[in-house]
Amino acid sequence: MEYELAIVGGGPAACAAAVYAARKRIKTIMIAEEVGGQSAVSDMIYNWIGTNAISGTDLAQHLRAHVDEYTKPEHTLTFSTGKRVTKIEKAGTTFTIGIDGQSESIQARSVLVATGSRHRQLTVPGADTFEHKGILYCATCDGPLFSGMPVVVIGGGNAALEAVLQLAQYAEHITLLHRSEHYRADPITVEHVSKLSNVTLRTNVELLEVKGDKFVSAVVYKENGTTNITELPVSGVFVEIGQIPNTDIIKDVAPIDQYGKVIVDPMNQRTKQLGIWAAGDCTDGLYHQNNIAAGDAVKAIEDMYVWLKTGK
């Protein structure tokens, strides 16, 4: 079956695009492994416009419900969940979307890539050994498991500082290790974290190793510009050192930058491949937030609708 539009992804960008496409009667298929994006695991979200506070679980449910509303027979949206897109190829004037474990491909005149990003992993000695054995990437999910224990957070952005805030409710002590002198996080968040009695902030340090037996028992770090090396006993290591865009499926079709992000025109979210748009954390947009992702996706649909109808 051929569609006018295939949306790849399940986060706020993909869901916003699906709703807008359906309202414009664009024959659309949305393909997602799951709905909610990375925020689905957040304990509480305070900046989703229209709500004072909402949990990641509730946000995912609301997004799913809104998309489902437009899959009713009188609408033009098909929602295929639990499916992973493995490739996007150009075939003449249409695109072929390959699905893992599915012999038949999906054909579409246009594509919106909203595949988001994933956590960047540690590469120091011990990182592979203790993955999921004390090295973790979700303070919300796993923080309660470390009640009364010392832990370390690696990173210096908002995600790292917010992880410290969450862990402070459970852990005996949290040490934040950041490789630079200055934080990338919002100053107000840094100020809040610095006032917590069970938190130690260490800047300008380099993580050297993660140690342990069956599980993590310590981290080793060095103060930059010195020979001072510290072995810090900890029970858990929470990693927040950035994101890697999920763009492998598009890199052979539309140009990506040196960081793996899809290059888009910020005026309309078009890529350099005619017929493909992109929105959200997988793009080279300067800022990445849920609200921005949703807005960029709406912008893309508005532009795509004109292109589908007029070819311009």
Side-chain angles (χ1 to χ4, degrees):
M1 179 181 294
E2 183 173 318
Y3 295 87
E4 290 183 282
L5 165 63
I7 299 170
V8 183
C15 292
V19 169
Y20 267 71
R23 291 178 62 83
K24 289 181 178 296
R25 296 294 192 266
I26 299 172
K27 187 178 180 182
T28 303
I29 183 168
M30 174 179 168
I31 311 162
E33 289 190 70
E34 54 188 6
V35 176
Q38 292 189 67
S39 291
V41 299
S42 296
D43 182 42
M44 198 62 64
I45 301 164
Y46 296 99
N47 61 353
W48 180 247
I49 301 303
T51 61
N52 292 330
I54 186 171
S55 70
T57 300
D58 286 344
L59 175 60
Q61 291 175 346
H62 289 183
L63 291 172
R64 175 67 186 259
H66 204 173
V67 172
D68 282 343
E69 182 66 24
Y70 287 92
T71 61
K72 295 178 180 178
E74 64 268 28
H75 297 294
T76 56
L77 176 64
T78 298
F79 184 26
S80 181
T81 187
K83 303 290 180 62
R84 183 174 67 87
V85 172
T86 56
K87 63 180 178 180
I88 298 174
E89 298 177 328
K90 195 171 190 304
T93 58
T94 63
F95 295 93
T96 299
I97 296 96
I99 308 295
D100 187 29
Q102 187 171 307
S103 58
E104 293 186 4
S105 299
I106 292 169
Q107 309 295 318
R109 286 183 58 198
S110 62
V111 179
L112 175 67
V113 179
T115 48
S117 60
R118 62 190 184 277
H119 289 286
R120 188 179 301 279
Q121 297 178 311
L122 291 176
T123 57
V124 299
D128 290 340
T129 303
F130 298 106
E131 184 84 8
H132 303 302
K133 296 179 181 178
I135 295 180
L136 304 158
Y137 296 85
C138 181
T140 300
C141 312
D142 302 307
L145 300 175
F146 294 86
S147 180
M149 302 179 191
V151 299
V152 65
V153 174
I154 312 295
N158 279 320
L161 275 292
E162 288 168 6
V164 173
L165 288 173
Q166 294 184 46
L167 291 166
Q169 303 176 62
Y170 312 106
E172 174 191 44
H173 194 88
I174 306 101
T175 302
L176 178 66
L177 301 181
H178 180 40
R179 64 181 180 178
S180 300
E181 184 178 351
H182 302 290
Y183 293 104
R184 301 186 309 277
D186 299 329
I188 191 170
T189 305
V190 177
E191 181 182 0
H192 191 174
V193 169
S194 67
K195 292 179 179 178
L196 296 174
S197 60
N198 62 337
V199 172
T200 298
L201 303 180
R202 292 278 183 263
T203 58
N204 213 20
V205 298
E206 178 187 359
L207 182 68
L208 299 179
E209 185 180 1
V210 180
K211 290 185 172 183
D213 185 11
K214 293 182 179 180
F215 296 94
V216 167
S217 63
V219 295
V220 179
Y221 66 89
K222 176 181 178 293
E223 296 178 26
N224 292 333
T226 76
T227 57
N228 298 333
I229 294 177
T230 300
E231 181 169 325
L232 178 69
V234 294
S235 299
V237 180
F238 288 84
V239 183
E240 293 289 355
I241 55 175
Q243 304 289 320
I244 299 174
N246 298 317
T247 55
D248 285 348
I249 61 171
I250 193 178
K251 64 183 181 181
D252 295 328
V253 184
I256 59 177
D257 67 12
Q258 59 182 320
Y259 304 107
K261 298 178 180 181
V262 184
I263 299 170
V264 297
D265 182 341
M267 289 289 291
N268 49 31
Q269 301 303 122
R270 291 191 185 196
T271 72
K272 295 185 178 182
Q273 171 63 66
L274 186 65
I276 296 184
W277 285 251
D281 289 8
C282 67
T283 73
D284 65 343
L286 182 58
Y287 302 108
H288 293 142
Q289 296 285 335
N290 284 336
N291 293 296
I292 294 171
D296 283 349
V298 172
K299 187 197 308 180
I301 295 301
E302 293 290 351
D303 188 63
M304 187 182 299
Y305 179 76
V306 174
W307 181 80
L308 286 169
K309 299 305 178 183
T310 68
K312 296 181 180 179

